[in-house]
Short mmCIF file of all heavy atoms in Angstrom, two decimals:
data_model
loop_
_atom_site.label_atom_id
_atom_site.label_comp_id
_atom_site.label_asym_id
_atom_site.label_seq_id
_atom_site.Cartn_x
_atom_site.Cartn_y
_atom_site.Cartn_z
N GLU A 1458 79.27 86.70 106.27
CA GLU A 1458 79.82 85.41 106.55
C GLU A 1458 81.47 85.57 106.48
O GLU A 1458 82.02 86.20 105.61
CB GLU A 1458 79.53 84.33 105.45
CG GLU A 1458 80.12 82.99 105.74
CD GLU A 1458 79.50 81.94 104.82
OE1 GLU A 1458 78.28 81.97 104.54
OE2 GLU A 1458 80.30 81.09 104.43
N ILE A 1459 82.13 84.89 107.29
CA ILE A 1459 83.66 84.81 107.33
C ILE A 1459 84.24 83.95 106.33
O ILE A 1459 83.86 82.71 106.32
CB ILE A 1459 84.05 84.52 108.78
CG1 ILE A 1459 83.70 85.55 109.73
CG2 ILE A 1459 85.63 84.43 108.79
CD1 ILE A 1459 83.82 85.29 111.22
N ASP A 1460 85.10 84.44 105.49
CA ASP A 1460 85.74 83.56 104.43
C ASP A 1460 87.04 83.02 105.00
O ASP A 1460 87.37 81.87 104.55
CB ASP A 1460 86.00 84.34 103.23
CG ASP A 1460 84.67 84.80 102.52
OD1 ASP A 1460 83.73 84.04 102.58
OD2 ASP A 1460 84.70 85.87 101.95
N ALA A 1461 87.78 83.70 105.69
CA ALA A 1461 88.98 83.28 106.24
C ALA A 1461 89.36 83.86 107.51
O ALA A 1461 88.92 84.99 107.85
CB ALA A 1461 90.17 83.57 105.16
N VAL A 1462 90.33 83.31 108.22
CA VAL A 1462 90.85 83.78 109.61
C VAL A 1462 92.29 84.13 109.28
O VAL A 1462 93.09 83.28 108.69
CB VAL A 1462 90.74 82.70 110.69
CG1 VAL A 1462 91.34 83.27 111.95
CG2 VAL A 1462 89.29 82.38 110.90
N ILE A 1463 92.78 85.32 109.74
CA ILE A 1463 94.09 85.79 109.60
C ILE A 1463 94.69 85.87 110.93
O ILE A 1463 94.09 86.52 111.81
CB ILE A 1463 94.08 87.16 108.90
CG1 ILE A 1463 93.61 87.08 107.53
CG2 ILE A 1463 95.76 87.63 108.91
CD1 ILE A 1463 93.50 88.43 106.80
N LEU A 1464 95.80 85.18 111.16
CA LEU A 1464 96.41 85.06 112.46
C LEU A 1464 97.64 85.93 112.40
O LEU A 1464 98.40 86.11 111.56
CB LEU A 1464 96.96 83.65 112.86
CG LEU A 1464 95.88 82.46 112.88
CD1 LEU A 1464 96.61 81.12 113.15
CD2 LEU A 1464 94.94 82.91 113.98
N ALA A 1465 97.72 86.77 113.45
CA ALA A 1465 98.84 87.74 113.51
C ALA A 1465 99.33 87.83 114.96
O ALA A 1465 98.60 87.35 115.94
CB ALA A 1465 98.40 89.12 113.16
N GLY A 1466 100.55 88.40 115.20
CA GLY A 1466 101.09 88.47 116.60
C GLY A 1466 101.96 87.31 116.90
O GLY A 1466 102.01 86.30 116.18
N GLY A 1467 102.76 87.38 117.99
CA GLY A 1467 103.71 86.36 118.29
C GLY A 1467 103.00 85.03 118.58
O GLY A 1467 103.72 84.00 118.30
N SER A 1468 101.92 84.98 119.07
CA SER A 1468 101.22 83.77 119.38
C SER A 1468 100.70 82.89 118.12
O SER A 1468 100.42 81.80 118.12
CB SER A 1468 99.90 83.94 120.26
OG SER A 1468 100.25 84.57 121.53
N ALA A 1469 100.68 83.74 117.02
CA ALA A 1469 100.31 83.00 115.71
C ALA A 1469 101.23 81.89 115.27
O ALA A 1469 100.80 81.12 114.56
CB ALA A 1469 100.20 84.03 114.64
N SER A 1470 102.48 81.94 115.84
CA SER A 1470 103.50 81.05 115.43
C SER A 1470 103.54 79.85 116.31
O SER A 1470 104.42 78.94 116.23
CB SER A 1470 104.84 81.80 115.40
OG SER A 1470 104.82 82.73 114.34
N LEU A 1471 102.66 79.72 117.35
CA LEU A 1471 102.65 78.68 118.18
C LEU A 1471 102.34 77.36 117.45
O LEU A 1471 101.51 77.36 116.61
CB LEU A 1471 101.53 78.85 119.40
CG LEU A 1471 101.89 79.81 120.37
CD1 LEU A 1471 100.62 80.08 121.25
CD2 LEU A 1471 103.12 79.35 121.21
N PRO A 1472 103.01 76.28 117.82
CA PRO A 1472 102.93 74.98 117.08
C PRO A 1472 101.43 74.57 117.20
O PRO A 1472 100.95 74.53 118.20
CB PRO A 1472 103.87 73.95 117.78
CG PRO A 1472 104.84 74.94 118.47
CD PRO A 1472 104.20 76.29 118.76
N GLY A 1473 100.82 74.20 116.13
CA GLY A 1473 99.44 73.68 116.13
C GLY A 1473 98.31 74.77 116.15
O GLY A 1473 97.10 74.42 116.02
N PHE A 1474 98.70 76.12 116.27
CA PHE A 1474 97.71 77.17 116.46
C PHE A 1474 96.89 77.18 115.19
O PHE A 1474 95.65 77.45 115.22
CB PHE A 1474 98.54 78.42 116.74
CG PHE A 1474 97.66 79.42 117.44
CD1 PHE A 1474 97.14 79.08 118.77
CD2 PHE A 1474 97.37 80.72 117.01
CE1 PHE A 1474 96.35 80.03 119.44
CE2 PHE A 1474 96.79 81.55 117.79
CZ PHE A 1474 96.15 81.32 118.97
N LYS A 1475 97.62 77.27 114.02
CA LYS A 1475 96.87 77.47 112.79
C LYS A 1475 95.99 76.24 112.47
O LYS A 1475 94.84 76.36 112.08
CB LYS A 1475 97.98 77.62 111.65
CG LYS A 1475 97.35 77.83 110.28
CD LYS A 1475 98.54 77.92 109.23
CE LYS A 1475 97.89 78.10 107.75
NZ LYS A 1475 98.96 78.37 106.83
N LYS A 1476 96.48 75.03 112.75
CA LYS A 1476 95.59 73.85 112.49
C LYS A 1476 94.45 73.91 113.40
O LYS A 1476 93.25 73.56 113.01
CB LYS A 1476 96.50 72.55 112.77
CG LYS A 1476 95.71 71.31 112.56
CD LYS A 1476 96.58 70.19 112.80
CE LYS A 1476 95.77 68.87 112.67
NZ LYS A 1476 96.52 67.64 112.98
N TYR A 1477 94.53 74.24 114.68
CA TYR A 1477 93.43 74.33 115.62
C TYR A 1477 92.40 75.20 115.10
O TYR A 1477 91.16 74.82 115.13
CB TYR A 1477 93.92 74.72 117.00
CG TYR A 1477 92.81 75.16 117.94
CD1 TYR A 1477 92.15 74.05 118.70
CD2 TYR A 1477 92.45 76.40 118.09
CE1 TYR A 1477 91.11 74.48 119.50
CE2 TYR A 1477 91.43 76.73 119.01
CZ TYR A 1477 90.65 75.72 119.63
OH TYR A 1477 89.64 76.09 120.55
N PHE A 1478 92.73 76.54 114.70
CA PHE A 1478 91.72 77.41 114.20
C PHE A 1478 90.96 76.89 113.00
O PHE A 1478 89.78 77.13 112.69
CB PHE A 1478 92.30 78.85 114.07
CG PHE A 1478 92.42 79.66 115.17
CD1 PHE A 1478 93.42 79.68 116.02
CD2 PHE A 1478 91.22 80.26 115.65
CE1 PHE A 1478 93.53 80.39 117.16
CE2 PHE A 1478 91.28 81.01 116.83
CZ PHE A 1478 92.40 81.10 117.57
N SER A 1479 91.77 76.21 112.06
CA SER A 1479 91.27 75.75 110.78
C SER A 1479 90.27 74.66 111.13
O SER A 1479 89.12 74.72 110.55
CB SER A 1479 92.30 75.19 109.95
OG SER A 1479 91.86 74.56 108.80
N GLU A 1480 90.44 73.87 112.06
CA GLU A 1480 89.51 72.73 112.43
C GLU A 1480 88.39 73.23 113.22
O GLU A 1480 87.23 72.80 112.99
CB GLU A 1480 90.25 71.67 113.24
CG GLU A 1480 91.28 70.85 112.38
CD GLU A 1480 92.09 69.85 113.17
OE1 GLU A 1480 92.00 69.86 114.43
OE2 GLU A 1480 92.85 69.17 112.63
N GLU A 1481 88.68 74.25 114.06
CA GLU A 1481 87.56 74.75 114.97
C GLU A 1481 86.59 75.57 114.15
O GLU A 1481 85.38 75.44 114.37
CB GLU A 1481 88.29 75.64 116.06
CG GLU A 1481 87.34 76.20 117.06
CD GLU A 1481 86.73 75.06 117.97
OE1 GLU A 1481 87.43 74.02 118.17
OE2 GLU A 1481 85.65 75.22 118.60
N PHE A 1482 86.99 76.37 113.23
CA PHE A 1482 86.14 77.27 112.42
C PHE A 1482 85.71 76.63 111.06
O PHE A 1482 84.86 77.04 110.44
CB PHE A 1482 86.58 78.62 112.31
CG PHE A 1482 86.81 79.32 113.55
CD1 PHE A 1482 88.04 79.67 114.13
CD2 PHE A 1482 85.72 79.83 114.29
CE1 PHE A 1482 88.29 80.40 115.26
CE2 PHE A 1482 85.82 80.47 115.54
CZ PHE A 1482 87.13 80.73 116.02
N GLY A 1483 86.43 75.66 110.60
CA GLY A 1483 86.27 75.15 109.26
C GLY A 1483 86.47 76.09 108.20
O GLY A 1483 85.75 76.04 107.12
N LYS A 1484 87.44 76.83 108.44
CA LYS A 1484 87.69 78.06 107.48
C LYS A 1484 89.13 78.03 107.08
O LYS A 1484 89.93 77.51 107.83
CB LYS A 1484 87.23 79.45 107.96
CG LYS A 1484 85.85 79.69 108.33
CD LYS A 1484 84.91 79.60 107.01
CE LYS A 1484 83.56 79.87 107.51
NZ LYS A 1484 82.55 79.83 106.36
N GLU A 1485 89.43 78.67 106.04
CA GLU A 1485 90.90 78.84 105.59
C GLU A 1485 91.57 79.74 106.70
O GLU A 1485 91.04 80.81 107.08
CB GLU A 1485 91.00 79.59 104.20
CG GLU A 1485 92.39 79.78 103.89
CD GLU A 1485 92.64 80.51 102.50
OE1 GLU A 1485 91.54 81.02 102.01
OE2 GLU A 1485 93.67 80.59 101.97
N VAL A 1486 92.74 79.38 107.11
CA VAL A 1486 93.53 80.08 108.14
C VAL A 1486 94.84 80.56 107.42
O VAL A 1486 95.54 79.92 106.68
CB VAL A 1486 93.86 79.35 109.29
CG1 VAL A 1486 94.71 80.16 110.35
CG2 VAL A 1486 92.52 78.90 110.02
N ILE A 1487 95.08 81.82 107.44
CA ILE A 1487 96.25 82.58 106.72
C ILE A 1487 97.05 83.17 107.88
O ILE A 1487 96.63 83.85 108.83
CB ILE A 1487 95.64 83.64 105.89
CG1 ILE A 1487 94.84 82.96 104.85
CG2 ILE A 1487 96.96 84.37 105.16
CD1 ILE A 1487 93.89 84.00 103.98
N MET A 1488 98.36 83.05 107.76
CA MET A 1488 99.36 83.68 108.69
C MET A 1488 99.57 85.10 108.18
O MET A 1488 99.70 85.31 106.94
CB MET A 1488 100.65 83.02 108.64
CG MET A 1488 100.61 81.59 109.20
SD MET A 1488 99.99 81.56 111.00
CE MET A 1488 101.61 82.04 111.61
N ALA A 1489 99.43 86.13 108.94
CA ALA A 1489 99.64 87.56 108.54
C ALA A 1489 101.05 87.62 107.90
O ALA A 1489 101.99 87.05 108.41
CB ALA A 1489 99.40 88.46 109.74
N ASP A 1490 101.13 88.48 107.03
CA ASP A 1490 102.44 88.77 106.32
C ASP A 1490 102.59 90.32 106.14
O ASP A 1490 102.28 90.93 105.08
CB ASP A 1490 102.58 88.19 104.95
CG ASP A 1490 103.91 88.43 104.34
OD1 ASP A 1490 104.84 89.00 104.99
OD2 ASP A 1490 104.04 87.89 103.15
N PRO A 1491 102.91 90.95 107.21
CA PRO A 1491 102.92 92.47 107.26
C PRO A 1491 103.95 93.00 106.42
O PRO A 1491 103.96 94.25 106.07
CB PRO A 1491 103.31 92.94 108.74
CG PRO A 1491 103.97 91.65 109.31
CD PRO A 1491 103.24 90.43 108.69
N PHE A 1492 104.92 92.31 105.90
CA PHE A 1492 105.92 92.68 105.05
C PHE A 1492 105.58 92.58 103.52
O PHE A 1492 106.35 92.83 102.67
CB PHE A 1492 107.27 91.99 105.32
CG PHE A 1492 107.86 92.25 106.68
CD1 PHE A 1492 107.67 91.31 107.63
CD2 PHE A 1492 108.60 93.43 106.91
CE1 PHE A 1492 108.19 91.55 108.98
CE2 PHE A 1492 109.13 93.61 108.23
CZ PHE A 1492 108.88 92.72 109.13
N SER A 1493 104.41 92.11 103.24
CA SER A 1493 104.02 91.75 101.91
C SER A 1493 104.04 92.94 100.86
O SER A 1493 104.37 92.78 99.72
CB SER A 1493 102.68 91.10 101.75
OG SER A 1493 101.62 91.96 102.24
N GLY A 1494 103.80 94.11 101.43
CA GLY A 1494 103.74 95.23 100.60
C GLY A 1494 104.92 96.09 100.70
O GLY A 1494 105.00 97.34 100.20
N LEU A 1495 105.94 95.72 101.35
CA LEU A 1495 107.28 96.50 101.65
C LEU A 1495 108.46 95.88 100.78
O LEU A 1495 108.37 94.74 100.55
CB LEU A 1495 107.49 96.40 103.07
CG LEU A 1495 106.49 96.85 104.08
CD1 LEU A 1495 106.90 96.73 105.41
CD2 LEU A 1495 106.13 98.35 103.71
N ASP A 1496 109.35 96.78 100.56
CA ASP A 1496 110.59 96.34 99.94
C ASP A 1496 111.63 95.99 100.92
O ASP A 1496 111.75 96.71 101.90
CB ASP A 1496 111.06 97.51 99.03
CG ASP A 1496 110.17 97.73 97.78
OD1 ASP A 1496 109.63 96.74 97.21
OD2 ASP A 1496 110.18 98.87 97.36
N TYR A 1497 112.30 94.90 100.79
CA TYR A 1497 113.34 94.56 101.66
C TYR A 1497 114.32 93.66 101.01
O TYR A 1497 113.97 93.08 100.00
CB TYR A 1497 112.76 93.80 102.94
CG TYR A 1497 111.75 92.60 102.61
CD1 TYR A 1497 112.35 91.40 102.38
CD2 TYR A 1497 110.48 92.85 102.48
CE1 TYR A 1497 111.59 90.29 102.05
CE2 TYR A 1497 109.72 91.78 102.24
CZ TYR A 1497 110.24 90.50 101.95
OH TYR A 1497 109.41 89.44 101.60
N PRO A 1498 115.50 93.45 101.43
CA PRO A 1498 116.49 92.56 100.76
C PRO A 1498 115.88 91.08 100.76
O PRO A 1498 115.51 90.61 101.64
CB PRO A 1498 117.75 92.57 101.66
CG PRO A 1498 117.59 93.92 102.48
CD PRO A 1498 116.12 94.11 102.61
N GLN A 1499 116.15 90.54 99.53
CA GLN A 1499 115.62 89.17 99.32
C GLN A 1499 116.19 88.16 100.30
O GLN A 1499 115.56 87.16 100.46
CB GLN A 1499 115.80 88.71 97.89
CG GLN A 1499 114.87 89.55 96.93
CD GLN A 1499 113.34 89.52 97.16
OE1 GLN A 1499 112.97 88.26 97.40
NE2 GLN A 1499 112.74 90.53 97.32
N ILE A 1500 117.39 88.40 100.79
CA ILE A 1500 118.02 87.53 101.60
C ILE A 1500 117.25 87.25 102.97
O ILE A 1500 117.32 86.29 103.71
CB ILE A 1500 119.45 87.90 102.01
CG1 ILE A 1500 120.20 86.78 102.61
CG2 ILE A 1500 119.48 89.21 102.83
CD1 ILE A 1500 121.75 87.04 102.63
N LEU A 1501 116.37 88.33 103.23
CA LEU A 1501 115.55 88.25 104.56
C LEU A 1501 114.16 87.55 104.38
O LEU A 1501 113.42 87.36 105.24
CB LEU A 1501 115.34 89.70 105.02
CG LEU A 1501 116.48 90.60 105.44
CD1 LEU A 1501 116.08 91.97 105.78
CD2 LEU A 1501 117.20 89.91 106.54
N THR A 1502 113.84 87.09 103.06
CA THR A 1502 112.61 86.65 102.82
C THR A 1502 112.13 85.42 103.76
O THR A 1502 111.12 85.34 104.47
CB THR A 1502 112.38 86.06 101.39
OG1 THR A 1502 112.72 87.19 100.49
CG2 THR A 1502 111.10 85.51 101.14
N GLU A 1503 112.99 84.45 103.92
CA GLU A 1503 112.87 83.25 104.69
C GLU A 1503 112.53 83.71 106.19
O GLU A 1503 111.52 83.28 106.85
CB GLU A 1503 113.95 82.28 104.77
CG GLU A 1503 113.66 80.94 105.49
CD GLU A 1503 112.69 80.06 104.77
OE1 GLU A 1503 112.51 80.19 103.56
OE2 GLU A 1503 112.09 79.25 105.43
N LYS A 1504 113.27 84.52 106.76
CA LYS A 1504 113.10 85.05 108.18
C LYS A 1504 111.89 85.86 108.38
O LYS A 1504 111.25 85.68 109.39
CB LYS A 1504 114.40 85.81 108.62
CG LYS A 1504 115.66 84.83 108.87
CD LYS A 1504 116.72 85.62 109.64
CE LYS A 1504 117.91 84.81 109.78
NZ LYS A 1504 117.88 83.90 111.01
N LEU A 1505 111.62 86.63 107.41
CA LEU A 1505 110.51 87.57 107.53
C LEU A 1505 109.13 86.77 107.41
O LEU A 1505 108.16 86.97 108.14
CB LEU A 1505 110.46 88.72 106.50
CG LEU A 1505 111.62 89.68 106.72
CD1 LEU A 1505 111.43 90.72 105.70
CD2 LEU A 1505 111.58 90.29 108.07
N LYS A 1506 109.17 85.72 106.59
CA LYS A 1506 107.99 84.90 106.43
C LYS A 1506 107.68 84.10 107.70
O LYS A 1506 106.62 83.94 108.33
CB LYS A 1506 108.14 83.72 105.33
CG LYS A 1506 108.06 84.27 104.00
CD LYS A 1506 106.56 84.53 103.67
CE LYS A 1506 106.42 85.02 102.14
NZ LYS A 1506 105.14 85.60 101.94
N LYS A 1507 108.80 83.60 108.50
CA LYS A 1507 108.78 82.88 109.60
C LYS A 1507 108.36 83.76 110.87
O LYS A 1507 107.42 83.46 111.70
CB LYS A 1507 110.06 82.33 109.97
CG LYS A 1507 110.11 81.48 111.29
CD LYS A 1507 111.46 80.98 111.48
CE LYS A 1507 111.47 80.07 112.90
NZ LYS A 1507 112.82 79.81 113.28
N ASN A 1508 108.89 85.04 110.88
CA ASN A 1508 108.77 85.89 112.01
C ASN A 1508 107.73 87.06 111.79
O ASN A 1508 107.48 87.80 112.58
CB ASN A 1508 110.02 86.49 112.53
CG ASN A 1508 110.97 85.42 112.94
OD1 ASN A 1508 110.71 84.55 113.69
ND2 ASN A 1508 112.27 85.54 112.53
N GLY A 1509 107.27 87.12 110.61
CA GLY A 1509 106.42 88.23 110.10
C GLY A 1509 105.27 88.49 111.05
O GLY A 1509 105.01 89.67 111.40
N PRO A 1510 104.48 87.51 111.46
CA PRO A 1510 103.28 87.80 112.27
C PRO A 1510 103.59 88.49 113.66
O PRO A 1510 102.84 89.32 114.17
CB PRO A 1510 102.69 86.42 112.59
CG PRO A 1510 103.18 85.56 111.44
CD PRO A 1510 104.53 86.14 110.93
N SER A 1511 104.86 88.29 114.04
CA SER A 1511 105.23 88.97 115.42
C SER A 1511 105.45 90.43 115.26
O SER A 1511 105.43 91.32 116.17
CB SER A 1511 106.59 88.31 115.85
OG SER A 1511 106.41 87.03 116.21
N PHE A 1512 105.60 90.84 113.91
CA PHE A 1512 105.99 92.31 113.66
C PHE A 1512 104.68 93.08 113.13
O PHE A 1512 104.80 94.25 112.84
CB PHE A 1512 107.04 92.45 112.48
CG PHE A 1512 108.40 91.99 113.22
CD1 PHE A 1512 108.82 90.75 112.89
CD2 PHE A 1512 109.20 92.87 113.92
CE1 PHE A 1512 110.13 90.36 113.32
CE2 PHE A 1512 110.42 92.56 114.31
CZ PHE A 1512 110.87 91.30 114.01
N ALA A 1513 103.53 92.41 113.12
CA ALA A 1513 102.30 92.95 112.55
C ALA A 1513 102.03 94.39 113.16
O ALA A 1513 101.70 95.37 112.46
CB ALA A 1513 101.21 92.04 112.69
N VAL A 1514 101.98 94.44 114.40
CA VAL A 1514 101.58 95.66 115.25
C VAL A 1514 102.66 96.74 114.83
O VAL A 1514 102.38 97.95 114.52
CB VAL A 1514 101.42 95.56 116.61
CG1 VAL A 1514 101.17 96.89 117.43
CG2 VAL A 1514 100.20 94.59 116.81
N ALA A 1515 103.93 96.41 114.94
CA ALA A 1515 105.02 97.37 114.69
C ALA A 1515 104.95 97.86 113.43
O ALA A 1515 105.15 99.19 113.20
CB ALA A 1515 106.35 96.66 115.03
N ILE A 1516 104.80 97.01 112.41
CA ILE A 1516 104.67 97.55 111.05
C ILE A 1516 103.53 98.46 110.79
O ILE A 1516 103.61 99.53 110.12
CB ILE A 1516 104.70 96.26 109.99
CG1 ILE A 1516 105.92 95.51 110.06
CG2 ILE A 1516 104.45 96.74 108.54
CD1 ILE A 1516 107.10 96.20 109.57
N GLY A 1517 102.38 98.13 111.41
CA GLY A 1517 101.19 98.98 111.28
C GLY A 1517 101.37 100.30 111.82
O GLY A 1517 101.10 101.29 111.14
N LEU A 1518 102.03 100.42 112.95
CA LEU A 1518 102.23 101.60 113.58
C LEU A 1518 103.24 102.51 112.76
O LEU A 1518 103.04 103.57 112.55
CB LEU A 1518 102.74 101.39 115.08
CG LEU A 1518 101.70 100.89 116.06
CD1 LEU A 1518 102.37 100.47 117.36
CD2 LEU A 1518 100.64 101.91 116.30
N ALA A 1519 104.34 101.84 112.31
CA ALA A 1519 105.26 102.50 111.60
C ALA A 1519 104.65 103.08 110.24
O ALA A 1519 104.99 104.18 109.82
CB ALA A 1519 106.42 101.62 111.16
N LEU A 1520 103.76 102.35 109.59
CA LEU A 1520 103.20 102.72 108.31
C LEU A 1520 102.24 103.97 108.56
O LEU A 1520 102.05 104.72 107.69
CB LEU A 1520 102.53 101.52 107.66
CG LEU A 1520 103.45 100.55 107.16
CD1 LEU A 1520 102.72 99.41 106.62
CD2 LEU A 1520 104.30 101.18 106.00
N GLN A 1521 101.74 104.14 109.70
CA GLN A 1521 100.76 105.28 110.01
C GLN A 1521 101.44 106.46 109.84
O GLN A 1521 100.81 107.45 109.42
CB GLN A 1521 100.23 105.15 111.48
CG GLN A 1521 99.07 104.19 111.71
CD GLN A 1521 98.60 104.19 113.14
OE1 GLN A 1521 99.29 104.72 114.09
NE2 GLN A 1521 97.44 103.80 113.32
N SER A 1522 102.74 106.68 109.99
CA SER A 1522 103.35 108.00 109.82
C SER A 1522 103.50 108.41 108.51
O SER A 1522 103.84 109.42 108.06
CB SER A 1522 104.74 107.86 110.53
OG SER A 1522 105.53 106.89 109.86
N PHE A 1523 103.13 107.47 107.50
CA PHE A 1523 103.31 107.64 106.12
C PHE A 1523 101.97 108.11 105.43
O PHE A 1523 101.88 108.40 104.26
CB PHE A 1523 103.87 106.55 105.23
CG PHE A 1523 105.36 106.28 105.63
CD1 PHE A 1523 105.81 105.16 106.37
CD2 PHE A 1523 106.36 107.20 105.11
CE1 PHE A 1523 106.95 105.05 106.67
CE2 PHE A 1523 107.68 106.95 105.52
CZ PHE A 1523 107.98 105.90 106.24
N GLU A 1524 100.94 108.09 106.30
CA GLU A 1524 99.63 108.34 105.70
C GLU A 1524 99.34 109.81 105.53
O GLU A 1524 99.90 110.61 106.16
CB GLU A 1524 98.58 107.82 106.61
CG GLU A 1524 98.44 106.19 106.45
CD GLU A 1524 97.31 105.68 107.36
OE1 GLU A 1524 96.69 106.35 108.07
OE2 GLU A 1524 97.16 104.38 107.24
#
């Protein structure tokens, strides 16, 4: 059973997208936060929360080189 839906990518920030999926599936919908496990200057927190889902693939690919 699915407990939650995680939205990622540039389209995840479309107005009403999160609400639509929440109503359609009746599940919790979470915006991806690819920067959650990374260190960055705190001054960037607001911008990274807003634009984070757009960077999900780029962060994932960059982190592969550290495995």
Side-chain angles (χ1 to χ4, degrees):
E1458 183 174 319
I1459 297 172
D1460 295 321
V1462 175
I1463 301 173
L1464 299 179
S1468 299
S1470 299
L1471 287 171
F1474 207 58
K1475 183 176 177 181
K1476 181 180 177 185
Y1477 169 79
F1478 275 96
S1479 178
E1480 292 173 355
E1481 186 69 23
F1482 295 114
K1484 301 289 182 181
E1485 178 184 13
V1486 176
I1487 303 165
M1488 297 295 282
D1490 184 7
F1492 295 98
S1493 65
L1495 304 176
D1496 292 328
Y1497 54 85
Q1499 292 302 308
I1500 195 166
L1501 297 176
T1502 300
E1503 185 72 26
K1504 289 195 181 274
L1505 295 180
K1506 286 284 185 194
K1507 179 181 177 189
N1508 298 316
S1511 297
F1512 291 99
V1514 172
I1516 294 293
L1518 290 172
L1520 290 175
Q1521 278 184 337
S1522 65
F1523 292 106
E1524 290 181 354

